[in-house]
Amino acid sequence: VNVLAPYTYTGYKCIQKTLLKKYPDFCAKKIPTITQNDVQVVINDLSKTVKQKTVRNRHAFISSVLKYNNANIVLNTTFAKKEHVEKVIPNDADMEKLLELVKGTEYEIPVMLGSFGMLRVGEVCGLDYNTDINFKTGELTIRHNMVRQYDGSHIITAPKTYSGNRTVTVPMFVINAIKKQGYITKNYPETISATFSELVRDNFVNHFTFHSLRHYGASIRLYLGIPYEYVRREGGWSTVSVLQQIYAHAFPDKQNEFSNKSTTYFNSRFSKNVEAI
């Protein structure tokens, strides 16, 4: 347990609890007697009720348990086809509406930190008012993450990944709002995420999560021409591949603008050559 991050350990315990409750016969089997077919039956049944990402996470847990116990089996499980999930990233109009909805509430500062600072919800809750904020420069030092343990308690740990340790600069209006309030948030990550989800469901046509705010902040920076590597570091991503996926799904309302930019360039650069032919 000591080598696992608290978040990972909690996730494993939740999966274990779910499997024990739903598949007691499977979980009661001796490790050496478990077959590929036993695992396949569980995966097939899970696929009827939960998303494929969840199915694969639970399969990974089963695989890890078998490997840890030196089971003489190499899993070759068949999964259902992955679902195509269209990412929804709020645009500027959505953000204006959202900020109006949370104005003056306990969720205003977390929303601003998520969208303008690209902070994960656990990082928002882990931010220390006294040591992690430079009120003169607008710099935030991200070095803590609040996570919920299996017993329901919360602890402050290091960020989820090594790249999560970083410094990010946010607009001064965010800093001033924090200074005026005198603290960042008194809520837990799960409370913020759940309340945010309910707020979006009640006020927006397309659903997006608190984590989507982080993607909004990244996509805006990329749209403004800030290099991928800089955005990666400031957002705490390990690689730029996630950013590329984010940008691919961002700003569908600006598609014509992007198209016009390219056609304008080609027209100005090459139209004379073509007309001369």
Side-chain angles (χ1 to χ4, degrees):
V1 173
N2 293 334
V3 299
L4 296 177
Y7 180 85
T8 303
Y9 176 70
T10 298
Y12 282 173
K13 292 293 290 184
C14 288
I15 293 174
Q16 181 188 46
K17 182 179 179 180
T18 299
L19 294 175
L20 284 169
K21 182 179 180 180
K22 194 167 184 178
Y23 307 104
D25 292 340
F26 172 78
C27 294
K29 285 179 175 289
K30 300 287 186 180
I31 293 291
T33 68
I34 293 177
T35 66
Q36 173 67 74
N37 186 65
D38 293 329
V39 176
Q40 188 69 63
V41 169
V42 171
I43 295 304
N44 289 349
D45 189 68
L46 282 171
S47 298
K48 298 175 183 178
T49 56
V50 299
K51 295 181 179 180
Q52 280 303 304
K53 181 178 180 181
T54 303
V55 173
R56 290 173 182 273
N57 285 343
R58 292 177 183 175
H59 181 270
F61 172 77
I62 294 172
S63 178
S64 296
V65 171
L66 293 174
K67 184 177 180 180
Y68 180 80
N69 288 278
N70 298 313
N72 188 27
I73 180 175
V74 177
L75 294 179
N76 188 26
T77 311
T78 301
F79 296 93
K81 185 178 180 180
K82 288 185 178 181
E83 310 108 325
H84 174 70
V85 180
E86 191 66 33
K87 292 182 182 295
V88 176
I89 299 177
N91 55 31
D92 288 341
D94 292 329
M95 286 305 307
E96 289 175 354
K97 180 178 179 179
L98 180 62
L99 288 172
E100 190 62 32
L101 288 169
V102 299
K103 188 175 181 179
T105 73
E106 283 284 312
Y107 302 96
E108 182 176 18
I109 289 174
V111 164
M112 290 194 292
L113 290 174
S115 53
F116 305 133
M118 300 183 291
L119 270 67
R120 302 174 176 90
V121 66
E123 294 171 343
V124 171
C125 296
L127 203 62
D128 190 297
Y129 179 90
N130 296 308
T131 62
D132 296 341
I133 305 174
N134 188 320
F135 288 95
K136 293 183 178 180
T137 65
E139 290 182 325
L140 307 177
T141 301
I142 313 302
R143 50 192 166 195
H144 302 115
N145 184 43
M146 179 181 287
V147 296
R148 184 176 184 270
Q149 300 190 100
Y150 183 67
D151 62 3
S153 63
H154 290 78
I155 61 172
I156 300 296
T157 69
K160 188 176 180 180
T161 62
Y162 177 77
S163 56
N165 292 277
R166 63 198 189 277
T167 298
V168 58
T169 303
V170 297
M172 286 307 298
F173 64 79
V174 177
I175 298 297
N176 293 334
I178 295 174
K179 189 174 183 179
K180 181 180 179 181
Q181 181 170 276
Y183 62 94
I184 298 162
T185 182
K186 296 179 180 179
N187 289 303
Y188 292 123
E190 298 79 19
T191 304
I192 294 175
S193 295
T195 303
F196 183 88
S197 183
E198 184 178 346
L199 180 71
V200 172
R201 187 185 65 240
D202 293 342
N203 293 278
F204 295 86
V205 175
N206 296 317
H207 187 270
F208 52 90
T209 65
F210 187 90
H211 199 74
S212 302
L213 301 181
R214 172 170 159 80
H215 292 176
Y216 166 80
S219 61
I220 287 293
R221 286 168 170 79
L222 295 173
Y223 173 70
L224 294 174
I226 297 175
Y228 272 93
E229 180 60 19
Y230 178 85
V231 180
R232 182 196 70 77
R233 290 183 181 180
E234 196 169 43
W237 282 280
S238 299
T239 67
V240 299
S241 60
V242 175
L243 294 179
Q244 292 167 341
Q245 293 175 24
I246 290 171
Y247 200 45
H249 290 88
F251 307 115
D253 57 321
K254 297 184 182 297
Q255 185 62 51
N256 289 336
E257 177 185 334
F258 294 146
S259 297
N260 290 336
K261 278 187 175 182
S262 60
T263 55
T264 298
Y265 173 81
F266 294 141
N267 281 330
S268 63
R269 183 67 177 83
F270 301 107
S271 60
K272 291 182 179 180
N273 300 72
V274 175
E275 290 170 359
I277 295 177

